Amino acid sequence: MGFGFSSKPFVLFVSFLLLFTNLELSPLVESASDYTTLVYKGCAKQAFTDPAGMYSQALSALFQTLLSQSMKVKFYKTTTGTGQTTITGLFQCRGDLSNSDCYNCASQLPTLANKLCGKTIAARIQLYGCYMLYEVAGFAQISGMEMLFKTCGATNVAGSGFEERRDTAFSVLENGVVSSHGYYTTNYQSVYVLGQCEGDVGDSDCGECIKTAVQKAQVECGSAISGQIYLHKCFISYSYYPNGVPRRSSSSSYSHPSSSSSGQNPGKTVAIILGGAAGVGFLVILLMFARGVMKKRDDS
């Protein structure tokens, strides 16, 4: 016994369900390419005096060596040139980057150094996923604990128990970076922390460097929801996620919560939107179904 209405709405409804069933609702996280985003640059004020091009040749050779090594290792330090044209340089990738991502990150550094600093006698380029440093022989040295750069989130979360959670996470980080030999990351009650020391720093000195960076974060950033502290020989970052630390790809940095206006899990938001759309579509089909039934009754 038929109901006397067109089968077209049913076909539309089935198509609608198939469309949304085949969509994979993964959490929306930052693209893995964010590890190549520039954090800061440090350029010496003095440029090369290089009429014969000796410095330029030594610097080019240094860049080539560092780049070739970035396909194999995550830290490498070397020296090129001779005499007064000797240049020492290094690169380091974040501990969680794959070899290919490390190379992709490091390959950006020579171009950025030339573009942002020119032919200066020393330069440091820091990206989210890697950094490079070079300096000519005789360049003035600084303490490994010297703070080079800081950034603190704009949102303040004082009075929410955040400081206690962050400081506990920091304590775990200070111990973890020593036992893990220079790189450590963890999260504690929605606080994500990361720390890394330069590759040639010993465990004990690394622990002291991270401890200093933690103290500076506590003072410089206070109750800020996120922060990054870069010292000469190490760096740390932290982010507080009130709704829980999001999942991410292996090579992406966690987005800072202060950059989001709502802090809601993006993947959950997408699921809610699509679920709502499916519900509306289902309701429309039901109304069309009821209309057909009533029309059949009226006709009979």
Side-chain angles (χ1 to χ4, degrees):
M1 179 179 178
F3 288 103
F5 64 94
S6 172
S7 62
K8 186 176 181 182
F10 179 75
V11 174
L12 290 174
F13 177 58
V14 172
S15 301
F16 189 83
L17 286 180
L18 288 173
L19 171 63
F20 286 102
T21 300
N22 289 323
L23 284 177
E24 182 179 358
L25 301 181
S26 302
L28 299 180
V29 297
E30 281 190 323
S31 167
S33 64
D34 74 332
Y35 59 72
T36 62
T37 300
L38 177 68
V39 178
Y40 73 90
K41 65 181 177 69
C43 310
K45 296 180 180 179
Q46 183 180 348
F48 290 135
T49 302
D50 194 27
M54 299 296 292
Y55 278 116
S56 297
Q57 292 178 20
L59 187 59
S60 178
L62 175 70
F63 287 161
Q64 291 177 14
T65 300
L66 294 179
L67 190 57
S68 66
Q69 290 297 318
S70 70
M71 293 184 287
K72 310 170 188 175
V73 295
K74 295 179 183 177
F75 172 80
Y76 191 77
K77 185 175 183 178
T78 190
T79 299
T80 59
T82 57
Q84 292 184 337
T85 62
T86 299
I87 302 178
T88 298
L90 63 86
F91 84 90
Q92 182 165 20
C93 289
R94 208 173 64 212
D96 60 339
L97 262 62
S98 65
N99 287 342
S100 60
D101 286 338
C102 181
Y103 173 77
N104 289 337
C105 189
S107 65
Q108 309 294 317
L109 296 170
T111 301
L112 287 172
N114 288 327
K115 178 181 178 181
L116 299 175
C117 294
K119 300 298 182 181
T120 57
I121 61 174
R124 183 182 184 117
I125 304 297
Q126 176 77 56
L127 308 184
Y128 273 125
C130 63
Y131 71 91
M132 181 187 70
L133 166 69
Y134 76 82
E135 56 191 33
V136 299
F139 187 77
Q141 299 298 297
I142 62 174
S143 166
M145 308 295 185
E146 183 84 13
M147 186 167 71
L148 304 179
F149 183 80
K150 69 168 184 176
T151 178
C152 305
T155 303
N156 190 296
V157 286
S160 62
F162 156 71
E163 291 91 343
E164 291 79 5
R165 298 179 185 183
R166 183 200 60 190
D167 291 348
T168 300
F170 278 160
S171 180
V172 175
L173 175 65
E174 290 174 18
N175 294 321
V177 78
V178 174
S179 60
S180 298
H181 309 297
Y183 175 80
Y184 189 75
T185 179
T186 189
N187 64 80
Y188 173 80
Q189 293 189 2
S190 299
V191 179
Y192 171 80
V193 292
L194 180 152
Q196 184 168 14
C197 293
E198 194 169 285
D200 56 354
V201 175
D203 290 343
S204 178
D205 289 339
C206 177
E208 288 300 313
C209 190
I210 293 295
K211 184 177 180 180
T212 301
V214 163
Q215 292 170 348
K216 289 186 180 296
Q218 291 167 328
V219 173
E220 299 289 341
C221 293
S223 300
I225 198 169
S226 63
Q228 298 176 45
I229 302 292
Y230 291 87
L231 306 188
H232 182 44
K233 291 292 185 178
C234 68
F235 76 92
I236 66 167
S237 69
Y238 75 87
S239 295
Y240 174 50
Y241 299 87
N243 295 326
V245 177
R247 289 188 295 171
R248 68 183 182 111
S249 65
S250 61
S251 302
S252 65
S253 296
Y254 283 110
S255 59
H256 302 303
S258 56
S259 66
S260 172
S261 59
S262 66
Q264 187 176 16
N265 185 313
K268 183 177 180 182
T269 303
V270 172
I272 290 172
I273 292 173
L274 295 184
V280 171
F282 182 67
L283 180 60
V284 169
I285 298 301
L286 285 178
L287 290 174
M288 295 175 68
F289 176 84
R291 182 181 177 184
V293 172
M294 293 180 66
K295 183 178 180 181
K296 175 64 176 176
R297 287 181 177 177
D298 291 342
D299 290 344
S300 60

